[in-house]
């Protein structure tokens, strides 16, 4: 056990910090008032990061990565959060599906443009009738000649309106047990027969979408893994999506804490024992999260892929994010209500979704109970 | 950064585990409690194996001392391993007796192992003194709190180096957090086994999702306490990390006490069942050093006093 970064890791951190000082987009929130602006910004930012050599750090060199350990990804995400840059993370978990289960040809075709930002992706998993019970999904694909034909509907497909491609879970065998009849297809998000309808969430942003598939044709060589392997692939993707280090939320949390401390100091609330106590409480919750994430990372570096115990980090993340956003709102006072600076309220509303997407808190607890603590179903 | 046990730590874990398996365990803890005794034999064996003197060893250090404290508590060891292995060596150099107790000046009404101790460390603000047997008086208190408890009626002794009280206070917090982590894990593991065995409405209660989620929350809290303890120990118990570990652990203690007793039902409240061996100790540990509020006060003073 050694909690320190080694010299190479520290040197990398300093290099990232210096690079971000020169290249991180400034005032990007003020300049991205529309969703189209935001989509364009994400694409540009990913390209900039890629050209700086900071995308796919832990991926193998032959697929455009850098062959480093997961610790480097964590350091990068930490620094990105610290610099408060836009968040780009889909490649970190969706790429795992292709990376882990794809053929050599699929990896060479899809991974490099996924890393450099040429192709943006979305995740077509949930459906109107398949949320927590993801394996109950009904969107189906039928093999006709050398093409799969998809029909059905996906829901809560974040970023679909900006996406070029979609990783879609589809039912390919209606007679198989429900977890076993699912397959994973890669489809162009702009293919004929796909209709995307953005859904506004409560803060007004069209953050998520529904996708309709009407006789959408997908070449057979765009299936990832074998028919019936979709559930395993989905679990791999979700295990990575659950990891707070992979999506850089630890640093975002720490940035938010500094912001709260700043607002509290400005408003004279640091003299108030109750406010100090509330901030201390959030700090402690954040520390619990940070340490668990470090432990998870350490396991990853030791060669163990993320497993069911990642749900501990997900639950701690949910607790931390929801608690800090609630406090941020309370500390902000009247500023929280104005249109000019509604960051606090937007963040608060978004924090509420963390216990829902990527597997609800209840699902995380089921995973821990059954797969970590060995309790019967 | 590597949070897996290295080769040496794994060897220590294996060797220490063997001693704990042979010497500790709920059965022995219950017998010792019934006799009003504690586990001096275990301490002696651990001392002879060198497991209580790792704090200053470069290859092991405080992290391993904290790990041993956690493992001991998880095995229901009834002995002041943390105070001896983690707190005393932070302020006293040289040979130490096996049984050491610690108390705050002005709060000596209930001191763990006070009557059994060969040495008492007394914290007085940032300063501290050490009283050897004969230099302090202790009266055993009849207590349900899972440890031998005594009232210290008099404590003379010799002053330690300036600032020793502040140092010992930080390590005391880490020791408490370590012991809570281990005891909480023992209680959670026991409760999971109980839930698998206990059948109601024709199926084990472990199959009920509502109950699974409650024990999962205990698991998450215990996990958090474990890692917070280990980092605080590794980094030399700075005020903020030590207090944070103690806060996270104290909250875990509260939750684990409440939930494991709920899940174990009436059986959990009997002395015939092992749960109390862990949970009564959790209550002592979360109250020691004036508990959560004092830990939080020190954290706030350390981190935000300049901002106020």
């Amino acid at each position: 056990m050694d909690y320190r970064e080694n010299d190479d890791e520290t040197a990398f951190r300093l290099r990232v910090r210096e690079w971000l000082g020169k290249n991180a987009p400034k005032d990007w929130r003020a300049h991205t008032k529309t969703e189209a602006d935001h989509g364009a910004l994400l694409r540009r930012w990913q390209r900039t990061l890629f050209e700086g050599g900071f995308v796919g750090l832990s991926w193998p060199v032959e697929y455009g990565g850098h062959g480093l350990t997961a610790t480097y990804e964590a350091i990068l995400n930490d620094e990105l959060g610290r610099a408060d840059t836009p968040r780009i993370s889909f490649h970190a978990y969706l790429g795992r599906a292709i990376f882990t289960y794809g053929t050599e040809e699929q990896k060479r075709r899809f991974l490099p443009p996924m890393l450099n930002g040429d192709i943006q992706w979305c995740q077509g998993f949930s459906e109107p009738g398949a949320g927590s019970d993801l394996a109950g999904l009904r969107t189906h694909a039928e093999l006709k000649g050398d093409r799969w034909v998809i029909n059905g509907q996906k829901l809560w497909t974040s970023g679909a309106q900006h996406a070029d491609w979609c990783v879609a879970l589809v039912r390919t065998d209606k007679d198989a047990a429900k977890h076993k009849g699912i397959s994973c297809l890669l489809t162009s998000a702009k293919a004929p027969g796909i209709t995307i309808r953005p859904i506004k969430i409560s803060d007004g942003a069209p953050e998520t979408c529904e996708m309709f598939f009407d006789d959408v044709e997908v070449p057979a060589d765009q299936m990832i893994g074998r028919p019936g392997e979709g559930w395993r692939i989905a679990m791999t993707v979700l295990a990575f999506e659950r990891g707070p280090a992979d999506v850089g939320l630890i640093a975002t949390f720490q940035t938010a804490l500094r912001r709260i401390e700043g607002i509290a100091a400005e408003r004279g609330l640091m003299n108030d024992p109750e406010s100090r106590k509330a901030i201390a409480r959030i700090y402690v919750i954040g520390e619990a999260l940070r340490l668990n994430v470090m432990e998870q990372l350490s396991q990853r570096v030791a060669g163990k892929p993320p497993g069911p115990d990642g749900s501990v980090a997900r639950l701690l993340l949910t607790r931390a994010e929801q608690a800090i956003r609630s406090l941020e709102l309370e500390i902000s006072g009247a500023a929280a209500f104005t249109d000019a600076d509604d960051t606090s309220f937007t963040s608060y509303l978004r924090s509420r979704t963390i216990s829902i997407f990527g597997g609800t808190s209840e699902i995380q607890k089921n995973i821990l109970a059954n797969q970590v603590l060995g309790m019967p179903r | 950064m590597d949070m897996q046990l290295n080769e040496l730590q794994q060897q220590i874990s294996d060797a220490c585990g063997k001693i704990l398996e042979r010497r500790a365990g709920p059965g022995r803890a219950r017998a010792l409690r019934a006799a009003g005794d504690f586990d001096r034999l275990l301490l002696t064996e651990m001392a002879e194996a060198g497991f209580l003197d790792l704090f200053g060893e470069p290859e092991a250090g405080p992290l391993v001392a904290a790990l041993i404290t956690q493992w001991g508590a998880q095995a229901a060891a009834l002995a002041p391993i943390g105070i001896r292995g983690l707190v005393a060596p932070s302020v006293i150099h040289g040979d130490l007796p096996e049984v050491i107790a610690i108390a705050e000046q002005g709060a000596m009404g209930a001191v763990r192992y006070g009557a059994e101790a060969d040495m008492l460390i007394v914290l007085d603000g940032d300063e501290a003194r050490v009283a050897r047997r004969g230099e302090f008086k202790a009266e055993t208190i009849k207590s349900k709190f899972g440890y031998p408890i005594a009232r210290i009626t008099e404590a003379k002794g010799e002053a330690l180096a300036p600032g020793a009280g502040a140092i010992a206070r930080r390590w005391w917090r880490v020791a408490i957090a370590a012991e809570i982590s281990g005891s909480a894990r023992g209680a959670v593991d026991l409760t999971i086994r109980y839930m698998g065995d206990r059948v109601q409405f024709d199926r084990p209660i472990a199959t009920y999702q509502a109950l699974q989620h409650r024990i999962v929350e205990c698991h998450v809290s215990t996990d958090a306490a474990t890692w917070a303890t280990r980092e605080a120990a590794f980094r030399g118990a700075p005020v903020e990390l030590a207090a944070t570990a103690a806060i996270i652990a104290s909250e875990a203690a509260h939750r684990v006490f409440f939930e494991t007793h709920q899940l174990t039902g009436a059986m959990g409240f009997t002395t015939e069942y092992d749960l109390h061996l862990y949970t009564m100790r959790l209550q002592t540990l979360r109250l020691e050093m004036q508990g959560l509020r004092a830990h939080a006060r020190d954290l706030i003073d350390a981190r935000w006093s300049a901002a106020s």
Side-chain angles (χ1 to χ4, degrees):
Chain A
M1 276 182 168
D2 191 331
Y3 290 69
R4 292 165 296 196
E5 282 175 10
N6 64 33
D7 291 346
D8 289 344
E9 290 161 354
T10 303
F12 175 74
R13 183 183 286 283
L14 294 175
R15 182 160 73 81
V16 174
R17 199 171 290 180
E18 191 188 344
W19 185 87
L20 284 173
K22 292 177 190 154
N23 294 283
K26 309 273 186 300
D27 298 328
W28 55 274
R29 284 192 184 83
H31 297 122
T32 51
K33 287 295 180 197
T34 67
E35 267 303 297
D37 290 344
H38 193 63
L41 171 80
L42 291 183
R43 209 175 274 254
R44 276 199 312 277
W45 177 227
Q46 183 166 353
R47 169 65 73 170
T48 308
L49 276 171
F50 178 79
E51 286 168 355
F54 297 115
V55 180
L57 293 174
S58 63
W59 290 34
V61 176
E62 60 265 38
Y63 306 122
H66 295 264
L68 298 167
T69 66
T71 305
Y72 287 84
E73 298 273 17
I75 291 171
L76 173 71
N77 284 325
D78 197 37
E79 291 299 322
L80 292 173
R82 205 182 279 263
D84 195 25
T85 66
R87 193 181 302 157
I88 292 165
S89 57
F90 65 83
H91 64 274
Y93 52 93
L94 281 182
R96 295 284 165 177
I98 303 169
F99 181 77
T100 312
Y101 298 95
T103 62
E104 196 55 34
E105 192 189 332
Q106 287 169 336
K107 290 182 201 177
R108 294 199 183 280
R109 177 179 173 194
F110 290 109
L111 292 179
M114 181 180 259
L115 291 181
N116 68 22
D118 279 354
I119 294 181
Q120 302 289 311
W121 289 78
C122 62
Q123 176 181 314
F125 283 16
S126 296
E127 296 182 5
S132 286
D133 182 15
L134 183 60
L137 62 88
R138 297 167 73 173
T139 296
H140 59 277
E142 198 182 334
L143 190 60
K144 291 185 176 169
D146 61 350
R147 299 189 162 251
W148 290 96
V149 179
I150 310 177
N151 280 284
Q153 181 188 355
K154 294 288 171 185
L155 188 58
W156 316 128
T157 315
S158 298
Q161 72 272 44
H162 307 303
D164 304 297
W165 282 76
C166 176
V167 179
L169 293 180
V170 293
R171 186 163 300 285
T172 50
D173 185 350
K174 288 178 181 167
D175 299 325
K178 73 178 190 179
H179 290 81
K180 294 185 175 164
I182 298 170
S183 303
C184 182
L185 286 173
L186 304 182
T187 172
S188 164
K190 302 179 192 315
I194 289 183
T195 308
I196 294 169
R197 188 178 77 84
I199 300 172
K200 277 194 177 182
I201 58 172
S202 47
D203 67 359
E207 150 92 3
T208 192
C209 299
E210 58 186 335
M211 290 180 83
F212 299 92
F213 294 77
D214 294 307
D215 290 329
V216 176
E217 294 188 6
V218 176
D221 64 1
Q222 285 173 207
M223 177 173 282
I224 297 293
R226 291 186 301 275
E229 254 193 327
W231 184 253
R232 266 178 69 194
I233 296 170
M235 290 305 100
T236 301
V237 169
L238 290 172
F240 278 93
E241 187 184 1
R242 282 177 195 130
D246 292 299
V247 290
L249 288 176
I250 303 296
T252 311
F253 178 90
Q254 289 173 342
T255 302
L257 182 61
R258 283 195 294 275
R259 177 179 145 83
I260 287 173
E261 288 169 339
I263 296 170
E266 246 173 54
R267 300 190 64 218
L269 294 172
M270 291 312 271
N271 293 317
D272 167 30
E274 289 304 318
S275 297
R276 284 210 303 267
K277 218 185 287 178
I279 292 172
R281 167 110 207 91
I282 298 300
Y283 168 81
V284 167
I285 292 173
E287 283 295 279
L289 170 66
R290 181 178 66 81
L291 292 163
N292 185 272
V293 166
M294 282 171 62
E295 192 245 336
Q296 292 285 312
L297 258 178
S298 167
Q299 291 194 24
R300 189 97 63 84
V301 172
K304 194 178 156 202
D309 50 354
S311 292
V312 171
R314 179 73 188 194
L315 287 171
L316 290 171
L317 166 68
T318 299
R319 192 175 299 169
E321 187 66 10
Q322 293 181 346
I324 196 169
R325 297 308 175 182
S326 178
L327 179 66
E328 186 176 12
L329 199 58
E330 288 163 26
I331 292 273
S332 296
F337 290 89
T338 66
D339 285 331
D341 180 17
D342 64 355
T343 313
S344 310
F345 192 46
T346 303
S347 302
Y348 173 74
L349 288 173
R350 293 195 174 202
S351 74
R352 194 59 201 79
T353 66
I354 290 186
S355 49
I356 301 170
F357 71 75
T360 63
S361 292
E362 288 70 28
I363 290 292
Q364 309 299 342
K365 289 178 190 174
N366 288 352
I367 290 169
L368 287 169
N370 302 137
Q371 297 179 41
V372 175
L373 302 183
M375 306 188 87
R377 287 175 196 277
Chain B
M1 186 194 71
D2 178 6
M3 294 168 84
Q4 318 297 305
L5 294 183
N6 63 29
E7 201 176 329
L8 175 73
Q9 289 161 349
Q10 191 58 56
Q11 284 169 3
I12 293 172
S13 167
D14 294 344
C16 189
K18 281 181 188 150
I19 294 179
L20 290 169
E21 202 178 313
R22 196 171 61 247
R23 279 266 166 235
R28 180 159 170 79
R30 195 185 300 105
L32 288 164
R33 284 298 286 156
D37 205 350
F38 80 110
D39 214 337
R40 187 180 280 273
L41 277 175
L42 172 66
L43 274 183
T44 302
E45 193 160 338
M46 289 182 78
E48 283 169 357
F51 292 143
L52 300 182
D53 293 303
L54 295 172
F55 186 92
E57 292 296 322
E59 294 294 310
L63 172 61
V64 177
L67 290 173
I68 288 172
T69 306
Q70 286 182 334
W71 298 331
Q74 190 172 345
L78 191 58
I81 296 170
I83 302 299
R84 170 62 181 77
L86 202 55
V87 185
S90 72
V91 288
I92 304 170
H93 308 292
D95 289 344
L96 290 166
E98 283 168 6
V99 187
I100 302 178
I102 187 164
E104 292 255 23
Q105 184 72 38
M108 295 206 275
V111 176
R112 279 194 296 149
Y113 302 102
E116 292 77 12
D118 304 313
M119 175 187 274
L120 175 71
I121 300 169
V122 181
L123 309 190
D124 190 355
D126 285 349
E127 307 311 324
R129 65 182 186 278
V130 59
R132 290 179 170 74
R133 191 170 273 281
E135 295 177 321
F136 66 95
K137 288 183 185 163
E139 294 170 357
T140 299
I141 299 171
K142 195 168 171 0
S143 161
K144 297 183 179 69
F145 274 81
Y147 293 104
I149 307 274
R151 179 184 303 114
I152 306 296
T153 55
E154 189 183 326
K156 294 174 186 155
E158 177 192 345
L160 291 168
I167 296 169
R169 186 170 286 104
R170 294 191 272 112
W171 284 106
W172 191 0
R173 286 211 161 98
V174 178
I176 287 173
E179 208 160 331
I180 286 177
S181 310
S183 300
R185 181 54 65 197
V188 169
D189 287 350
L190 184 65
T191 304
I192 290 170
R193 288 201 296 278
Y194 176 85
M195 291 169 74
D197 293 339
R198 173 72 172 159
V199 173
Q200 288 288 276
F201 305 106
D202 301 322
R203 56 187 174 123
I205 62 170
T207 59
Y208 293 104
Q209 191 185 47
L211 306 190
Q212 290 179 347
H213 287 190
R214 295 178 79 153
I215 199 71
V216 162
E217 286 287 1
C218 292
H219 168 71
V220 171
S221 299
T222 304
D223 217 27
T226 301
W227 293 109
T229 301
R230 292 178 181 184
E231 161 138 320
F234 179 83
R235 303 230 181 248
V239 181
E240 288 178 28
L241 288 180
T244 298
I247 292 168
I248 292 173
S250 298
E251 288 176 343
H254 179 66
R255 183 190 290 276
V256 169
F257 175 87
F258 189 86
E259 295 291 3
T260 55
H261 276 287
Q262 181 67 25
L263 294 166
T264 314
M267 181 57 73
F269 281 94
T270 67
T271 51
E272 292 169 19
Y273 191 67
D274 290 340
L275 185 62
H276 72 101
L277 294 168
Y278 303 101
T279 54
M280 298 304 134
R281 294 183 194 181
L282 289 176
Q283 290 297 343
T284 313
L285 294 163
R286 83 180 182 92
L287 297 175
E288 203 161 84
M289 295 186 83
Q290 300 175 56
L292 195 56
R293 279 182 300 172
H295 305 319
R297 194 173 54 233
D298 279 9
L299 170 63
I300 290 167
D301 285 350
R303 192 171 170 84
W304 291 284
S305 59
S308 61

